[in-house]
Each structure stands twice: as C-alpha cells, then as structure tokens.
Amino acid sequence: MAPLLEGRDADAFLFSPQETMAWWQAEKRKRRKSKVQPSQVDRRKKKAYKLPGPHYTVHSYCRAVRYAIERANTAAACDACKMLKPAERCKECQARAIPLWHPYQLRHNAATRLVEQFGWDVARIVLGHRQVSTTRIYALDDIKKAAEAMAKAG
C-alpha cells in the first residue's frame, strides 16, 4: 500500500483513470517489439471526445463490477454456452452464474448495519441524508428486533 501513497496529497484520490491510462500506454510501449514509427510517437487525439478523468465515478465502478461478473460467468460456462448470451445459456450454467450485483448494495448494507448498531439518526448523518425517511429507503428493517418485541409483547 505504501507505494500507492508515496508523493500523493492526503486529499488526492488513490486511483485515477488518468494515471491508469498513462501507465497502461507506457507498459504497451515497453512491450513493443518493433521500432516506433515517427507518425506513431504520439497518437493521442488532440481533441478527444472523452478523456480519462481524475477519479473513478460510481458509474465506472458499476461498469467494472458488471463487466467482471459477465467475464466470470462466461469463463465458468460450459463450452456449448460460452458464445451464448447469459439468458440463453443452459440451466446448469445459469444456476452456477454469479448473480447480478450493484455497488449500491454496499451502501444499503452499511445503512442496515448502522441502524442496527447506532440507530436511525446516526445512520442518517453518516449517509448524508437530511431526513430519516430517506435513510429508511436504504436500511432494511431489523426482523430480529421485531421478533423479540413480539415475543415480549406476547
């Protein structure tokens, strides 16, 4: 972890698409076997439509997770199903597949845990909500507490 933090501001993002792309291009350049042609020295577009940003976004994490799940499910599929779309694969491959997952599920899980351990108001503050009603959307009701209350109430 220390090499990632060297020379970095405390407020800077740890992972950066700009840095990743620069590293990836440098690695490709190192592995190149033929001489670089003068026209290929710098092939970046002068006015590119989309340049890598300074940090990853929620959407980029979501795409990365979805892409990784799709690749893992394709790799785990039988030979007959590898070229098929996930919905068209055999039942065994579909049963073995990793279910779709979204990074916001971490937020929902954190909200539920915060409510269980510290209550609704602390969870609201940590999640950055103005109203508890918004926090209630994220946190699941605690079924254990409800069962205990019903047992006590009779």
Side-chain angles (χ1 to χ4, degrees):
M1 188 75 169
L4 290 173
L5 299 175
E6 288 178 11
R8 195 175 288 279
D9 291 337
D11 295 335
F13 289 96
L14 187 58
F15 300 106
S16 165
Q18 292 170 341
E19 292 175 8
T20 302
M21 287 302 294
W23 172 84
W24 182 65
Q25 290 168 348
E27 287 296 311
K28 281 184 11 182
R29 187 69 67 181
K30 276 195 268 183
R31 285 183 271 136
R32 185 182 175 99
K33 297 200 186 310
S34 62
K35 183 180 171 185
V36 177
Q37 301 298 317
S39 64
Q40 296 179 346
V41 171
D42 187 6
R43 296 190 62 179
R44 289 176 290 182
K45 293 182 178 179
K46 302 300 181 226
K47 293 184 179 180
Y49 177 71
K50 178 93 168 131
L51 293 173
H55 61 86
Y56 290 98
T57 65
V58 172
H59 299 293
S60 60
Y61 281 118
C62 184
R63 274 192 310 273
V65 168
R66 186 176 60 236
Y67 180 68
I69 290 172
E70 288 172 3
R71 286 193 64 181
N73 287 342
T74 300
C78 64
D79 291 335
C81 292
K82 285 195 188 289
M83 298 304 289
L84 299 175
K85 293 179 181 177
E88 298 170 354
R89 293 181 181 154
C90 66
K91 290 183 181 181
E92 291 82 21
C93 290
Q94 288 182 1
R96 225 180 8 244
I98 299 168
L100 293 177
W101 186 83
H102 196 280
Y104 273 121
Q105 287 174 274
L106 295 174
R107 186 172 173 87
H108 287 273
N109 187 31
T112 302
R113 287 181 166 205
L114 286 168
V115 168
E116 286 175 359
Q117 293 177 2
F118 305 106
W120 287 101
D121 207 38
V122 172
R124 177 190 63 80
I125 293 167
V126 171
L127 292 173
H129 298 151
R130 289 185 182 169
Q131 299 175 354
V132 175
S133 60
T134 308
T135 308
R136 289 190 184 279
I137 296 169
Y138 281 88
L140 298 174
D141 290 329
D142 192 354
I143 303 299
K144 292 177 198 170
K145 284 185 180 177
E148 289 173 8
M150 291 307 293
K152 286 181 183 177

